[in-house]
Amino acid sequence: MIIGMFLLFGNAAVAYRLFPFNLATNKKIHAALNLTAIAFIVFGLVAVFEYHDDWGYNDLYSLHSWCGITTATLFIAMAIFTAVMFQDFEPRMWQAGRRTFKPLHIVFGVFLLFSAIITIETGIVEKAMFREWSGDLEWETYSTEAILINLMCSSLILALLYIIYILYTLPRVIIPRPEDRFMVCSASGGDE
């Protein structure tokens, strides 16, 4: 689930902004990474529920569980809505909606990435607490494990801040295609 919710989803946001391809190629890479993220998220959720069933654990019993379900549901809902809004079947059909939705899409994507970080960090802390309660972990004896947990959580926050920096400050690098120029000229009434 970490691969889907953070690694692929974060890379999808950065790929759309930084990859030096034309707009259509960047969109396809962005969509492919997000679809792969959804596949990993669904696979992870199925694995967690099956594990809980096999061992007789309750489902959705902690903050981590509810954050994860909420984040996964919102991520899938945004993917469906975005697929409809940014589909390329009729490019001029959704232009006004796209202009309105694009800033919201970016803000909501950053919010979902932030939610994914919260979910991951609550899961790491929850696992450490379970180990401490079972007697497998003592913070005083195994301080290297505590340091590792703190470094992982801090690294996730720093990675999130770096992604936000990329999304909001760096200019998008796009190599225009001849078709993109034609579409812009013909939409504005040009003779080409």
Side-chain angles (χ1 to χ4, degrees):
M1 299 240 293
I2 292 174
I3 292 172
M5 283 204 170
F6 180 69
L7 191 64
L8 291 172
F9 183 42
N11 281 326
V14 172
Y16 186 74
R17 178 64 85 181
L18 289 183
F19 281 13
F21 304 117
N22 61 48
L23 182 62
T25 304
N26 283 356
K27 277 183 168 180
K28 289 175 185 170
I29 293 170
H30 180 73
L33 286 170
N34 279 322
L35 287 174
T36 308
I38 289 173
F40 273 90
I41 290 167
V42 169
F43 177 77
L45 287 173
V46 169
V48 165
F49 282 113
E50 284 182 2
Y51 176 80
H52 285 187
D53 288 344
D54 290 345
W55 288 92
Y57 296 141
N58 294 327
D59 294 322
L60 303 175
Y61 58 88
S62 67
L63 178 65
H64 169 69
S65 303
W66 285 103
C67 285
I69 288 293
T70 303
T71 302
T73 303
L74 290 174
F75 181 73
I76 292 169
M78 186 176 81
I80 292 168
F81 186 74
T82 302
V84 170
M85 184 61 75
F86 290 109
Q87 52 83 19
D88 285 326
F89 300 126
E90 181 57 44
R92 293 186 190 122
M93 187 169 110
W94 297 96
Q95 288 302 325
R98 287 180 184 181
R99 279 191 295 273
T100 303
F101 179 65
K102 187 175 179 183
L104 297 173
H105 176 73
I106 294 169
V107 168
F108 196 62
V110 169
F111 169 75
L112 284 175
L113 198 55
F114 179 73
S115 299
I117 296 293
I118 290 172
T119 303
I120 292 166
E121 291 192 356
T122 55
I124 291 169
V125 171
E126 181 181 291
K127 182 68 176 170
M129 287 172 38
F130 287 158
R131 292 200 55 212
E132 184 177 20
W133 291 339
S134 67
D136 290 342
L137 174 68
E138 294 178 22
W139 289 109
E140 293 80 25
T141 307
Y142 298 103
S143 62
T144 55
E145 202 164 301
I147 291 171
L148 180 64
I149 289 169
N150 288 322
L151 283 174
M152 286 185 343
C153 291
S154 300
S155 297
L156 288 170
I157 291 171
L158 289 174
L160 173 67
L161 293 175
Y162 185 62
I163 290 171
I164 292 170
Y165 169 78
I166 288 172
L167 291 177
Y168 285 105
T169 60
L170 296 181
R172 186 169 29 162
V173 179
I174 294 180
I175 300 171
R177 301 179 304 177
E179 302 92 62
D180 293 339
R181 183 176 171 270
F182 178 73
M183 285 177 58
V184 170
C185 290
S186 63
S188 64
D191 294 332
E192 294 183 32

